Amino acid sequence: ILSLKREMRNLSEECSLEPVTVSMAYVYFEKLVLQGKLNKQNRKLCAGACVLLAAKISSDLRKHEVKHLIDKLEERFRFNRRDLIGFEFTVLVALELALYLPENQVLPHYRRLTQQS
């Protein structure tokens, strides 16, 4: 899980995503872990979908920026783009469509990320 979170952070930096976006992706990912939704087969798809959902909800990405992010996710986590797009909805349902997070859930991750930079 830690190595996946590190990959999520590195990828987000490559795509110039804000630390708050990465923090949100971490919270989504941890919620999936706590729900027991993660397994060896889907862990990378979960991480990728969390980054994609966080990027979509927290920033005003243009179409080409979303495509670039998906390309990077596909390259970094070595999965098919079609699988990611399909799994995005699965993660959204698992999170009960609750993509807007309370500040107290995001802030600890945000502080850690900004102190590391």
Side-chain angles (χ1 to χ4, degrees):
I1 292 174
L2 290 176
S3 65
L4 280 173
K5 286 171 81 172
R6 191 175 10 217
E7 290 294 326
M8 292 164 72
R9 183 187 69 230
N10 293 340
L11 182 127
S12 298
E13 288 172 359
E14 283 178 31
C15 294
S16 303
L17 297 178
E18 296 292 322
V20 71
T21 303
V22 183
S23 303
M24 290 173 67
Y26 281 0
V27 174
Y28 299 156
F29 189 68
E30 289 173 355
K31 285 183 177 199
L32 295 173
V33 170
L34 292 173
Q35 290 175 13
K37 303 285 187 195
L38 224 63
N39 60 44
K40 191 160 178 70
Q41 291 77 33
N42 73 4
R43 66 187 193 280
K44 290 182 179 183
L45 275 171
C46 282
C50 289
V51 171
L52 186 57
L53 287 169
K56 285 181 174 180
I57 201 77
S58 72
S59 52
D60 52 348
L61 294 177
R62 288 178 218 53
K63 187 176 182 177
H64 76 282
E65 292 171 323
V66 173
K67 185 182 180 323
H68 175 69
L69 178 60
I70 291 171
D71 290 342
K72 284 287 189 185
L73 286 166
E74 192 176 26
E75 173 188 315
R76 176 68 56 102
F77 290 119
R78 294 180 296 284
F79 50 61
N80 186 315
R81 139 189 337 255
R82 188 173 294 137
D83 295 339
L84 174 66
I85 303 302
F87 206 75
E88 182 182 10
F89 187 72
T90 305
V91 169
L92 193 56
V93 169
L95 295 172
E96 298 172 349
L97 306 176
L99 295 183
Y100 288 103
L101 299 167
E103 191 176 298
N104 65 339
Q105 290 180 359
V106 178
L107 211 51
H109 295 291
Y110 180 77
R111 282 192 184 123
R112 202 171 311 115
L113 284 168
T114 53
Q115 287 171 355
Q116 289 172 356
S117 301

